[in-house]
Amino acid sequence: MEISAAPLIYILIFVAVVVIVEGIYLTVFGKSISLNNRLSRRLTLLEKNANREQVLEQLRKEMNQHLNSKNIPLYSVFAKKAQRANIAFSPKALIGVMGIVAVFAFLMLTVMTGADISVRILLAIGMGIGGVYHWVNRKAKKRMSLLEEQLPDSIELMVRSLRVGHPFSTAIGIVAKEIPDPLGSEFGVIADEAAYGRDVTESLKAFAERMDSQDLRFLAVAVSIQQQSGGNLAEILDGLSKVIRARFKLFRRVAAITAEAKWSGMFLSGFPIAALLMIQVIKPDYYDGVKETPAFIPAALFVIVFLIINIIFMKVMTNIKV
């Protein structure tokens, strides 16, 4: 029985592309860019460069560069997710990384497979763009998840600071020193902007819109209302922290309840694709008897369309909004 390893090779090359993108990222920006680092990136940059204004300018540029470049052709697909992930690569550098990994994928396909050159070029481009998109999307999800987990603790730290008599801008600065990334650097930028004269409420609103986070919008609105109408900000933020924790608990409960349905949907969506790959690996000549017939290409397109519809419907059915 003839066995073809081509599908497995394609998968391995794609995985290698994603790993290479992460390696390039860590090589260029160092370990401080990692969200697993206890010390925030802002504090790490301040240790290397004591000029607070230059560090603020660099971080603000990184935080806004992707949405500002969403008019670049095809880059709009990446812009919002890259902004959420706070990718330090500039848009042009990220496009350059796509080109580098696409060339790597083409070389690997040339060495390890006997596919036609046009197929290798298309696969290499797809792996370059798809690999970077997968990497950015994974970074964005991880960063947003950490941000949501850190927010209640950060607000409670602000509450304790306010209750001992610190002004709100100082409370934000304390959060920036005590909380790791992503909130550490974000609140550090807000504290620096306040020190240079920008209104804290404006900075919080801009942060909330950039992250598209409802909890951050609540925080910005609470601070804005307190500044306009007065009141005990510590008590307001304490209540907000409890509300955010309750919402987070509800989200976790819903995720636990719907986990089985989501995994079932993922299995039903992935099984046909896995079956096709296994057929190509175990018996690559399985379709030789019919692929020359006029009905083969329409039938294949019909199957692909229905597979895509199946994946979309499974995603919609298992994605429960709270």
mmCIF file with all atom_site columns, all heavy atoms in Angstrom, residues 269-288:
data_model
loop_
_atom_site.group_PDB
_atom_site.id
_atom_site.type_symbol
_atom_site.label_atom_id
_atom_site.label_alt_id
_atom_site.label_comp_id
_atom_site.label_asym_id
_atom_site.label_entity_id
_atom_site.label_seq_id
_atom_site.pdbx_PDB_ins_code
_atom_site.Cartn_x
_atom_site.Cartn_y
_atom_site.Cartn_z
_atom_site.occupancy
_atom_site.B_iso_or_equiv
_atom_site.pdbx_formal_charge
_atom_site.auth_seq_id
_atom_site.auth_comp_id
_atom_site.auth_asym_id
_atom_site.auth_atom_id
_atom_site.pdbx_PDB_model_num
ATOM 1   N N   . SER A 1 269 ? -16.789 19.708 12.872  1.00 0.00 ? 269 SER A N   1
ATOM 2   C CA  . SER A 1 269 ? -16.220 20.554 11.823  1.00 0.00 ? 269 SER A CA  1
ATOM 3   C C   . SER A 1 269 ? -14.889 20.020 11.318  1.00 0.00 ? 269 SER A C   1
ATOM 4   O O   . SER A 1 269 ? -14.589 20.105 10.121  1.00 0.00 ? 269 SER A O   1
ATOM 5   C CB  . SER A 1 269 ? -16.027 21.981 12.359  1.00 0.00 ? 269 SER A CB  1
ATOM 6   O OG  . SER A 1 269 ? -17.251 22.547 12.751  1.00 0.00 ? 269 SER A OG  1
ATOM 7   N N   . GLY A 1 270 ? -14.081 19.481 12.248  1.00 0.00 ? 270 GLY A N   1
ATOM 8   C CA  . GLY A 1 270 ? -12.746 19.032 11.865  1.00 0.00 ? 270 GLY A CA  1
ATOM 9   C C   . GLY A 1 270 ? -12.670 17.622 11.343  1.00 0.00 ? 270 GLY A C   1
ATOM 10  O O   . GLY A 1 270 ? -11.735 17.278 10.602  1.00 0.00 ? 270 GLY A O   1
ATOM 11  N N   . PHE A 1 271 ? -13.663 16.795 11.680  1.00 0.00 ? 271 PHE A N   1
ATOM 12  C CA  . PHE A 1 271 ? -13.578 15.382 11.282  1.00 0.00 ? 271 PHE A CA  1
ATOM 13  C C   . PHE A 1 271 ? -13.557 15.188 9.767   1.00 0.00 ? 271 PHE A C   1
ATOM 14  O O   . PHE A 1 271 ? -12.740 14.398 9.252   1.00 0.00 ? 271 PHE A O   1
ATOM 15  C CB  . PHE A 1 271 ? -14.734 14.587 11.896  1.00 0.00 ? 271 PHE A CB  1
ATOM 16  C CG  . PHE A 1 271 ? -14.725 13.139 11.518  1.00 0.00 ? 271 PHE A CG  1
ATOM 17  C CD1 . PHE A 1 271 ? -13.832 12.255 12.115  1.00 0.00 ? 271 PHE A CD1 1
ATOM 18  C CD2 . PHE A 1 271 ? -15.583 12.651 10.540  1.00 0.00 ? 271 PHE A CD2 1
ATOM 19  C CE1 . PHE A 1 271 ? -13.812 10.920 11.756  1.00 0.00 ? 271 PHE A CE1 1
ATOM 20  C CE2 . PHE A 1 271 ? -15.566 11.323 10.167  1.00 0.00 ? 271 PHE A CE2 1
ATOM 21  C CZ  . PHE A 1 271 ? -14.678 10.441 10.780  1.00 0.00 ? 271 PHE A CZ  1
ATOM 22  N N   . PRO A 1 272 ? -14.428 15.861 8.982   1.00 0.00 ? 272 PRO A N   1
ATOM 23  C CA  . PRO A 1 272 ? -14.354 15.668 7.518   1.00 0.00 ? 272 PRO A CA  1
ATOM 24  C C   . PRO A 1 272 ? -12.994 16.067 6.938   1.00 0.00 ? 272 PRO A C   1
ATOM 25  O O   . PRO A 1 272 ? -12.474 15.385 6.044   1.00 0.00 ? 272 PRO A O   1
ATOM 26  C CB  . PRO A 1 272 ? -15.471 16.574 6.990   1.00 0.00 ? 272 PRO A CB  1
ATOM 27  C CG  . PRO A 1 272 ? -16.399 16.746 8.134   1.00 0.00 ? 272 PRO A CG  1
ATOM 28  C CD  . PRO A 1 272 ? -15.539 16.748 9.350   1.00 0.00 ? 272 PRO A CD  1
ATOM 29  N N   . ILE A 1 273 ? -12.419 17.154 7.447   1.00 0.00 ? 273 ILE A N   1
ATOM 30  C CA  . ILE A 1 273 ? -11.116 17.587 6.958   1.00 0.00 ? 273 ILE A CA  1
ATOM 31  C C   . ILE A 1 273 ? -10.041 16.576 7.340   1.00 0.00 ? 273 ILE A C   1
ATOM 32  O O   . ILE A 1 273 ? -9.181  16.209 6.521   1.00 0.00 ? 273 ILE A O   1
ATOM 33  C CB  . ILE A 1 273 ? -10.775 18.983 7.519   1.00 0.00 ? 273 ILE A CB  1
ATOM 34  C CG1 . ILE A 1 273 ? -11.812 20.005 7.052   1.00 0.00 ? 273 ILE A CG1 1
ATOM 35  C CG2 . ILE A 1 273 ? -9.378  19.419 7.087   1.00 0.00 ? 273 ILE A CG2 1
ATOM 36  C CD1 . ILE A 1 273 ? -11.675 21.365 7.675   1.00 0.00 ? 273 ILE A CD1 1
ATOM 37  N N   . ALA A 1 274 ? -10.102 16.095 8.587   1.00 0.00 ? 274 ALA A N   1
ATOM 38  C CA  . ALA A 1 274 ? -9.142  15.076 9.035   1.00 0.00 ? 274 ALA A CA  1
ATOM 39  C C   . ALA A 1 274 ? -9.290  13.803 8.217   1.00 0.00 ? 274 ALA A C   1
ATOM 40  O O   . ALA A 1 274 ? -8.291  13.145 7.871   1.00 0.00 ? 274 ALA A O   1
ATOM 41  C CB  . ALA A 1 274 ? -9.346  14.793 10.519  1.00 0.00 ? 274 ALA A CB  1
ATOM 42  N N   . ALA A 1 275 ? -10.541 13.436 7.880   1.00 0.00 ? 275 ALA A N   1
ATOM 43  C CA  . ALA A 1 275 ? -10.768 12.234 7.078   1.00 0.00 ? 275 ALA A CA  1
ATOM 44  C C   . ALA A 1 275 ? -10.161 12.377 5.684   1.00 0.00 ? 275 ALA A C   1
ATOM 45  O O   . ALA A 1 275 ? -9.532  11.447 5.152   1.00 0.00 ? 275 ALA A O   1
ATOM 46  C CB  . ALA A 1 275 ? -12.271 11.945 6.982   1.00 0.00 ? 275 ALA A CB  1
ATOM 47  N N   . LEU A 1 276 ? -10.325 13.556 5.070   1.00 0.00 ? 276 LEU A N   1
ATOM 48  C CA  . LEU A 1 276 ? -9.728  13.797 3.755   1.00 0.00 ? 276 LEU A CA  1
ATOM 49  C C   . LEU A 1 276 ? -8.206  13.715 3.809   1.00 0.00 ? 276 LEU A C   1
ATOM 50  O O   . LEU A 1 276 ? -7.567  13.143 2.909   1.00 0.00 ? 276 LEU A O   1
ATOM 51  C CB  . LEU A 1 276 ? -10.160 15.171 3.236   1.00 0.00 ? 276 LEU A CB  1
ATOM 52  C CG  . LEU A 1 276 ? -11.618 15.303 2.782   1.00 0.00 ? 276 LEU A CG  1
ATOM 53  C CD1 . LEU A 1 276 ? -11.944 16.758 2.481   1.00 0.00 ? 276 LEU A CD1 1
ATOM 54  C CD2 . LEU A 1 276 ? -11.878 14.435 1.562   1.00 0.00 ? 276 LEU A CD2 1
ATOM 55  N N   . LEU A 1 277 ? -7.604  14.267 4.873   1.00 0.00 ? 277 LEU A N   1
ATOM 56  C CA  . LEU A 1 277 ? -6.149  14.204 5.023   1.00 0.00 ? 277 LEU A CA  1
ATOM 57  C C   . LEU A 1 277 ? -5.678  12.769 5.200   1.00 0.00 ? 277 LEU A C   1
ATOM 58  O O   . LEU A 1 277 ? -4.668  12.351 4.605   1.00 0.00 ? 277 LEU A O   1
ATOM 59  C CB  . LEU A 1 277 ? -5.706  15.058 6.211   1.00 0.00 ? 277 LEU A CB  1
ATOM 60  C CG  . LEU A 1 277 ? -5.821  16.571 6.051   1.00 0.00 ? 277 LEU A CG  1
ATOM 61  C CD1 . LEU A 1 277 ? -5.480  17.277 7.365   1.00 0.00 ? 277 LEU A CD1 1
ATOM 62  C CD2 . LEU A 1 277 ? -4.892  17.068 4.938   1.00 0.00 ? 277 LEU A CD2 1
ATOM 63  N N   . MET A 1 278 ? -6.401  11.994 5.994   1.00 0.00 ? 278 MET A N   1
ATOM 64  C CA  . MET A 1 278 ? -6.018  10.595 6.207   1.00 0.00 ? 278 MET A CA  1
ATOM 65  C C   . MET A 1 278 ? -6.119  9.791  4.922   1.00 0.00 ? 278 MET A C   1
ATOM 66  O O   . MET A 1 278 ? -5.286  8.919  4.651   1.00 0.00 ? 278 MET A O   1
ATOM 67  C CB  . MET A 1 278 ? -6.892  9.979  7.296   1.00 0.00 ? 278 MET A CB  1
ATOM 68  C CG  . MET A 1 278 ? -6.620  10.511 8.689   1.00 0.00 ? 278 MET A CG  1
ATOM 69  S SD  . MET A 1 278 ? -4.890  10.237 9.190   1.00 0.00 ? 278 MET A SD  1
ATOM 70  C CE  . MET A 1 278 ? -4.813  8.442  9.227   1.00 0.00 ? 278 MET A CE  1
ATOM 71  N N   . ILE A 1 279 ? -7.147  10.083 4.120   1.00 0.00 ? 279 ILE A N   1
ATOM 72  C CA  . ILE A 1 279 ? -7.271  9.389  2.823   1.00 0.00 ? 279 ILE A CA  1
ATOM 73  C C   . ILE A 1 279 ? -6.074  9.702  1.936   1.00 0.00 ? 279 ILE A C   1
ATOM 74  O O   . ILE A 1 279 ? -5.511  8.820  1.284   1.00 0.00 ? 279 ILE A O   1
ATOM 75  C CB  . ILE A 1 279 ? -8.594  9.790  2.135   1.00 0.00 ? 279 ILE A CB  1
ATOM 76  C CG1 . ILE A 1 279 ? -9.790  9.187  2.883   1.00 0.00 ? 279 ILE A CG1 1
ATOM 77  C CG2 . ILE A 1 279 ? -8.604  9.334  0.673   1.00 0.00 ? 279 ILE A CG2 1
ATOM 78  C CD1 . ILE A 1 279 ? -11.137 9.679  2.383   1.00 0.00 ? 279 ILE A CD1 1
ATOM 79  N N   . GLN A 1 280 ? -5.665  10.986 1.927   1.00 0.00 ? 280 GLN A N   1
ATOM 80  C CA  . GLN A 1 280 ? -4.521  11.373 1.103   1.00 0.00 ? 280 GLN A CA  1
ATOM 81  C C   . GLN A 1 280 ? -3.222  10.748 1.609   1.00 0.00 ? 280 GLN A C   1
ATOM 82  O O   . GLN A 1 280 ? -2.309  10.478 0.821   1.00 0.00 ? 280 GLN A O   1
ATOM 83  C CB  . GLN A 1 280 ? -4.389  12.898 1.090   1.00 0.00 ? 280 GLN A CB  1
ATOM 84  C CG  . GLN A 1 280 ? -5.482  13.602 0.316   1.00 0.00 ? 280 GLN A CG  1
ATOM 85  C CD  . GLN A 1 280 ? -5.501  13.183 -1.142  1.00 0.00 ? 280 GLN A CD  1
ATOM 86  O OE1 . GLN A 1 280 ? -4.471  13.177 -1.820  1.00 0.00 ? 280 GLN A OE1 1
ATOM 87  N NE2 . GLN A 1 280 ? -6.670  12.807 -1.634  1.00 0.00 ? 280 GLN A NE2 1
ATOM 88  N N   . VAL A 1 281 ? -3.113  10.530 2.920   1.00 0.00 ? 281 VAL A N   1
ATOM 89  C CA  . VAL A 1 281 ? -1.905  9.921  3.466   1.00 0.00 ? 281 VAL A CA  1
ATOM 90  C C   . VAL A 1 281 ? -1.887  8.415  3.224   1.00 0.00 ? 281 VAL A C   1
ATOM 91  O O   . VAL A 1 281 ? -0.891  7.843  2.748   1.00 0.00 ? 281 VAL A O   1
ATOM 92  C CB  . VAL A 1 281 ? -1.800  10.212 4.984   1.00 0.00 ? 281 VAL A CB  1
ATOM 93  C CG1 . VAL A 1 281 ? -0.659  9.413  5.624   1.00 0.00 ? 281 VAL A CG1 1
ATOM 94  C CG2 . VAL A 1 281 ? -1.554  11.703 5.208   1.00 0.00 ? 281 VAL A CG2 1
ATOM 95  N N   . ILE A 1 282 ? -3.003  7.743  3.544   1.00 0.00 ? 282 ILE A N   1
ATOM 96  C CA  . ILE A 1 282 ? -3.039  6.272  3.486   1.00 0.00 ? 282 ILE A CA  1
ATOM 97  C C   . ILE A 1 282 ? -3.199  5.770  2.063   1.00 0.00 ? 282 ILE A C   1
ATOM 98  O O   . ILE A 1 282 ? -2.563  4.790  1.660   1.00 0.00 ? 282 ILE A O   1
ATOM 99  C CB  . ILE A 1 282 ? -4.187  5.749  4.380   1.00 0.00 ? 282 ILE A CB  1
ATOM 100 C CG1 . ILE A 1 282 ? -3.923  6.131  5.839   1.00 0.00 ? 282 ILE A CG1 1
ATOM 101 C CG2 . ILE A 1 282 ? -4.332  4.238  4.256   1.00 0.00 ? 282 ILE A CG2 1
ATOM 102 C CD1 . ILE A 1 282 ? -5.067  5.842  6.771   1.00 0.00 ? 282 ILE A CD1 1
ATOM 103 N N   . LYS A 1 283 ? -4.048  6.412  1.273   1.00 0.00 ? 283 LYS A N   1
ATOM 104 C CA  . LYS A 1 283 ? -4.293  5.946  -0.104  1.00 0.00 ? 283 LYS A CA  1
ATOM 105 C C   . LYS A 1 283 ? -4.382  7.147  -1.038  1.00 0.00 ? 283 LYS A C   1
ATOM 106 O O   . LYS A 1 283 ? -5.481  7.600  -1.387  1.00 0.00 ? 283 LYS A O   1
ATOM 107 C CB  . LYS A 1 283 ? -5.589  5.120  -0.151  1.00 0.00 ? 283 LYS A CB  1
ATOM 108 C CG  . LYS A 1 283 ? -5.781  4.331  -1.449  1.00 0.00 ? 283 LYS A CG  1
ATOM 109 C CD  . LYS A 1 283 ? -6.976  3.409  -1.327  1.00 0.00 ? 283 LYS A CD  1
ATOM 110 C CE  . LYS A 1 283 ? -7.221  2.674  -2.641  1.00 0.00 ? 283 LYS A CE  1
ATOM 111 N NZ  . LYS A 1 283 ? -6.044  1.897  -3.093  1.00 0.00 ? 283 LYS A NZ  1
ATOM 112 N N   . PRO A 1 284 ? -3.234  7.695  -1.435  1.00 0.00 ? 284 PRO A N   1
ATOM 113 C CA  . PRO A 1 284 ? -3.237  8.909  -2.257  1.00 0.00 ? 284 PRO A CA  1
ATOM 114 C C   . PRO A 1 284 ? -3.880  8.741  -3.629  1.00 0.00 ? 284 PRO A C   1
ATOM 115 O O   . PRO A 1 284 ? -4.247  9.730  -4.262  1.00 0.00 ? 284 PRO A O   1
ATOM 116 C CB  . PRO A 1 284 ? -1.751  9.251  -2.375  1.00 0.00 ? 284 PRO A CB  1
ATOM 117 C CG  . PRO A 1 284 ? -1.025  8.008  -2.050  1.00 0.00 ? 284 PRO A CG  1
ATOM 118 C CD  . PRO A 1 284 ? -1.876  7.239  -1.102  1.00 0.00 ? 284 PRO A CD  1
ATOM 119 N N   . ASP A 1 285 ? -4.016  7.507  -4.115  1.00 0.00 ? 285 ASP A N   1
ATOM 120 C CA  . ASP A 1 285 ? -4.624  7.265  -5.424  1.00 0.00 ? 285 ASP A CA  1
ATOM 121 C C   . ASP A 1 285 ? -6.118  6.959  -5.316  1.00 0.00 ? 285 ASP A C   1
ATOM 122 O O   . ASP A 1 285 ? -6.726  6.448  -6.254  1.00 0.00 ? 285 ASP A O   1
ATOM 123 C CB  . ASP A 1 285 ? -3.915  6.106  -6.127  1.00 0.00 ? 285 ASP A CB  1
ATOM 124 C CG  . ASP A 1 285 ? -3.950  4.814  -5.312  1.00 0.00 ? 285 ASP A CG  1
ATOM 125 O OD1 . ASP A 1 285 ? -4.292  4.876  -4.099  1.00 0.00 ? 285 ASP A OD1 1
ATOM 126 O OD2 . ASP A 1 285 ? -3.638  3.747  -5.873  1.00 0.00 ? 285 ASP A OD2 1
ATOM 127 N N   . TYR A 1 286 ? -6.717  7.269  -4.168  1.00 0.00 ? 286 TYR A N   1
ATOM 128 C CA  . TYR A 1 286 ? -8.108  6.900  -3.912  1.00 0.00 ? 286 TYR A CA  1
ATOM 129 C C   . TYR A 1 286 ? -9.050  7.526  -4.938  1.00 0.00 ? 286 TYR A C   1
ATOM 130 O O   . TYR A 1 286 ? -10.042 6.916  -5.343  1.00 0.00 ? 286 TYR A O   1
ATOM 131 C CB  . TYR A 1 286 ? -8.484  7.341  -2.497  1.00 0.00 ? 286 TYR A CB  1
ATOM 132 C CG  . TYR A 1 286 ? -9.868  6.942  -2.059  1.00 0.00 ? 286 TYR A CG  1
ATOM 133 C CD1 . TYR A 1 286 ? -10.139 5.651  -1.620  1.00 0.00 ? 286 TYR A CD1 1
ATOM 134 C CD2 . TYR A 1 286 ? -10.917 7.871  -2.076  1.00 0.00 ? 286 TYR A CD2 1
ATOM 135 C CE1 . TYR A 1 286 ? -11.413 5.283  -1.221  1.00 0.00 ? 286 TYR A CE1 1
ATOM 136 C CE2 . TYR A 1 286 ? -12.193 7.516  -1.674  1.00 0.00 ? 286 TYR A CE2 1
ATOM 137 C CZ  . TYR A 1 286 ? -12.431 6.218  -1.241  1.00 0.00 ? 286 TYR A CZ  1
ATOM 138 O OH  . TYR A 1 286 ? -13.699 5.855  -0.845  1.00 0.00 ? 286 TYR A OH  1
ATOM 139 N N   . TYR A 1 287 ? -8.770  8.770  -5.355  1.00 0.00 ? 287 TYR A N   1
ATOM 140 C CA  . TYR A 1 287 ? -9.667  9.477  -6.276  1.00 0.00 ? 287 TYR A CA  1
ATOM 141 C C   . TYR A 1 287 ? -9.201  9.401  -7.731  1.00 0.00 ? 287 TYR A C   1
ATOM 142 O O   . TYR A 1 287 ? -9.775  10.086 -8.591  1.00 0.00 ? 287 TYR A O   1
ATOM 143 C CB  . TYR A 1 287 ? -9.782  10.949 -5.864  1.00 0.00 ? 287 TYR A CB  1
ATOM 144 C CG  . TYR A 1 287 ? -10.425 11.162 -4.520  1.00 0.00 ? 287 TYR A CG  1
ATOM 145 C CD1 . TYR A 1 287 ? -9.650  11.522 -3.419  1.00 0.00 ? 287 TYR A CD1 1
ATOM 146 C CD2 . TYR A 1 287 ? -11.786 11.006 -4.344  1.00 0.00 ? 287 TYR A CD2 1
ATOM 147 C CE1 . TYR A 1 287 ? -10.236 11.723 -2.174  1.00 0.00 ? 287 TYR A CE1 1
ATOM 148 C CE2 . TYR A 1 287 ? -12.378 11.205 -3.104  1.00 0.00 ? 287 TYR A CE2 1
ATOM 149 C CZ  . TYR A 1 287 ? -11.598 11.554 -2.028  1.00 0.00 ? 287 TYR A CZ  1
ATOM 150 O OH  . TYR A 1 287 ? -12.174 11.742 -0.804  1.00 0.00 ? 287 TYR A OH  1
ATOM 151 N N   . ASP A 1 288 ? -8.183  8.596  -8.026  1.00 0.00 ? 288 ASP A N   1
ATOM 152 C CA  . ASP A 1 288 ? -7.655  8.553  -9.393  1.00 0.00 ? 288 ASP A CA  1
ATOM 153 C C   . ASP A 1 288 ? -8.695  8.098  -10.401 1.00 0.00 ? 288 ASP A C   1
ATOM 154 O O   . ASP A 1 288 ? -8.683  8.523  -11.563 1.00 0.00 ? 288 ASP A O   1
ATOM 155 C CB  . ASP A 1 288 ? -6.440  7.620  -9.450  1.00 0.00 ? 288 ASP A CB  1
ATOM 156 C CG  . ASP A 1 288 ? -5.209  8.267  -8.844  1.00 0.00 ? 288 ASP A CG  1
ATOM 157 O OD1 . ASP A 1 288 ? -5.303  9.450  -8.466  1.00 0.00 ? 288 ASP A OD1 1
ATOM 158 O OD2 . ASP A 1 288 ? -4.160  7.596  -8.725  1.00 0.00 ? 288 ASP A OD2 1
#
